Amino acid sequence: MEDQLRQWVEPKDQRHLQGFTEMLAAILQSGQACLGKWIPYLDHRGCSARAHLERVSYFLRNEQITAERVYRPLLRHVLPAFAGEAVLLTLDTSLLWNHWCLIEVCLAWGGRSLTLTQQVIEHRSATIRFEQYHGVLECARRALPPGSQVTLLADRGFEHGDLIRWLNRNHWNWSIRVKSDLLVTLAQGRTQPVEALCPPPNQAYLFPNVQVLEDIKAHLATANVPDAQDTWAVLSNQPPSLQTFALYGQRFGGIEPHFKDYKSAAFDLLETGLREAEMLTRLVMLLDAASLIALILGLMLVHAKQRARIDWHGERGLSFLQLGLRELARLCYQRLPLPKLRALTKGHPSPACASRCKREALDCRVEFSKVVVFSS
């Protein structure tokens, strides 16, 4: 693995690669974010277990270990197919122990999310200010392949005028779910809160050319679906249609399983004893690198038509991440070398479905008894 990464990392940054790849390999083999679980997979000059933990702690506190130096080169290798293409990004947060907030910008791909950039801050709420995540957005912009045509999806916690102005300046499209108390000035000049613009059950309202947050021109789409917990209200810079809801709905399939992989489905992040924002940021970066490598291994397994060796489902029932982690375990058990990692394909593969019921749920269509388009 180190030999492959060394080809992509700048010569001035290669001094950090040995420690990075050693810990990356420990995560992939242990399947754990807990530092103590890495010890059986660390081998450095016959160190004791305590010495290994001290080395790992020093690495996670080292300010020279940055995503720009060790994670972004991996992204550059696997994302070239997206240059000049339309890409869908998600911006979201997740609380850790109700004390730290993980901020991420991810690429939605194959029904899941792939991290572009991340940061952990000390914050007791998942709702944060634009100033707290502006740097993460800038890092994501630099991490994208050149010419990417971006659409950003975000939840109600990101209903910020400064965010939308930043998106407009960078020529990114966007769809943001908004709160019910947001004031909207309609094309006719009347100003009302979003809750007053929501339709009856099984209906959708489309409001082109509205104005919000003082000076922002946008479009609003609201829908009332009985099976949903809340009425949907999506603000976008694109003309409103029923596809507005389908586009925004892609956020759920990507980001929620992604955070679940961190916390319980793959790496048990909440079991780690770390309680420092900078150390947690570097640890999550390592988890993202491990996830990316496992995802690529899973994708390569499917392309080689060898999925049935790992996955017993008739159709793909495991995510690419889970396929890759199990394939890696097989390679380690049989003492086989890690294959050369390939780049991702720009086409979106179908999401994994562990059951026929889940497949039917994904394929279901939401239909409205009435759709009203208000005059612009």
Side-chain angles (χ1 to χ4, degrees):
M1 186 190 306
E2 183 175 346
D3 291 338
Q4 294 189 44
L5 291 176
R6 193 172 294 278
Q7 300 174 20
W8 312 328
V9 174
E10 295 290 336
K12 61 184 177 63
D13 297 325
Q14 291 186 0
R15 64 185 183 278
H16 305 300
L17 270 184
Q18 183 176 359
F20 177 72
T21 53
E22 182 183 6
M23 292 171 204
L24 194 55
I27 292 173
L28 286 167
Q29 292 176 89
S30 67
Q32 294 288 324
C34 182
L35 311 188
K37 301 291 181 66
W38 302 357
I39 291 175
Y41 307 98
L42 299 175
D43 182 19
H44 182 75
R45 300 175 184 174
C47 288
S48 65
R50 181 175 294 275
H52 279 312
L53 283 181
E54 290 174 353
R55 286 183 57 241
V56 173
S57 296
Y58 175 79
F59 180 89
L60 295 177
R61 287 192 172 94
N62 188 347
E63 295 180 355
Q64 301 300 313
I65 307 300
T66 64
E68 288 77 9
R69 286 177 167 168
V70 294
Y71 181 62
R72 193 176 296 172
L74 181 57
L75 284 178
R76 281 198 297 266
H77 175 72
V78 302
L79 297 181
F82 296 90
E85 298 292 329
V87 296
L88 197 62
L89 305 187
T90 60
L91 169 64
D92 217 327
T93 59
S94 182
L95 278 183
L96 305 174
W97 308 286
N98 294 319
H99 196 94
W100 282 268
C101 181
L102 169 61
I103 312 166
E104 288 204 338
V105 177
C106 298
L107 171 70
W109 182 86
R112 300 299 284 270
S113 290
L114 166 66
T115 305
L116 293 181
T117 183
Q118 73 291 103
Q119 184 181 6
V120 177
I121 62 173
E122 188 169 357
H123 194 68
R124 295 179 181 271
S125 170
T127 301
I128 55 179
R129 303 185 309 275
F130 175 73
E131 295 77 13
Q132 294 173 298
Y133 62 86
H134 175 232
V136 177
L137 283 170
E138 290 288 351
C139 289
R141 182 178 61 82
R142 294 193 295 269
L144 285 169
S148 298
Q149 304 162 33
V150 181
T151 298
L152 181 84
L153 308 179
D155 202 7
R156 287 170 286 193
F158 297 97
E159 181 193 287
H160 300 147
D162 288 337
L163 167 62
I164 297 175
R165 294 182 190 97
W166 184 92
L167 294 169
N168 289 338
R169 284 197 303 271
N170 287 280
H171 307 290
W172 285 15
N173 295 320
W174 47 272
S175 289
I176 301 173
R177 192 174 179 187
V178 293
K179 300 174 185 175
S180 61
D181 59 354
L182 176 70
L183 294 178
V184 178
T185 301
L186 302 177
Q188 299 89 344
R190 188 174 73 255
T191 298
Q192 292 182 280
V194 165
E195 62 184 351
L197 303 174
C198 292
N202 293 315
Q203 296 187 24
Y205 287 170
L206 307 178
F207 300 90
N209 302 318
V210 302
Q211 187 167 312
V212 298
L213 302 171
E214 297 180 359
D215 62 342
I216 295 174
K217 298 184 185 302
H219 308 282
L220 177 68
T222 62
N224 191 333
V225 182
D227 292 339
Q229 295 181 350
D230 300 308
T231 301
W232 276 35
V234 180
L235 197 70
S236 176
N237 70 325
Q238 298 294 300
S241 70
L242 293 184
Q243 290 305 310
T244 301
F245 305 112
L247 174 66
Y248 181 79
Q250 294 186 52
R251 171 187 165 271
F252 298 104
I255 199 67
E256 299 300 335
H258 179 69
F259 285 139
K260 185 178 179 181
D261 285 336
Y262 284 143
K263 295 181 178 181
S264 60
F267 298 115
D268 292 327
L269 175 60
L270 298 182
E271 296 300 316
T272 182
L274 298 185
R275 296 297 187 272
E276 296 179 28
E278 291 299 322
M279 293 182 72
L280 284 167
T281 297
R282 293 188 182 90
L283 175 60
V284 172
M285 178 189 68
L286 283 167
L287 298 182
D288 288 329
S291 298
L292 182 55
I293 289 172
L295 182 150
I296 294 171
L297 284 176
L299 179 65
M300 292 169 62
L301 194 71
V302 170
H303 283 177
K305 301 184 186 304
Q306 296 177 343
R307 177 187 60 83
R309 187 168 59 194
I310 299 292
D311 184 4
W312 59 266
H313 295 84
E315 298 182 13
R316 185 167 64 89
L318 296 174
S319 68
F320 288 121
L321 171 63
Q322 290 295 336
L323 282 175
L325 290 173
R326 298 182 190 197
E327 172 66 0
L328 184 72
R330 185 189 71 84
L331 293 174
C332 291
Y333 177 74
Q334 298 184 9
R335 298 186 179 183
L336 298 173
L338 184 72
K340 184 177 180 180
L341 301 178
R342 57 176 292 178
L344 295 180
T345 56
K346 63 183 179 182
H348 285 255
S350 299
C353 288
S355 68
R356 184 174 299 175
C357 291
K358 184 176 180 181
R359 170 63 66 189
E360 292 174 353
L362 286 174
D363 293 339
C364 74
R365 296 180 59 183
V366 176
E367 296 183 354
F368 297 100
S369 60
K370 185 179 181 181
V371 178
V372 180
V373 181
F374 289 81
S375 173
S376 59

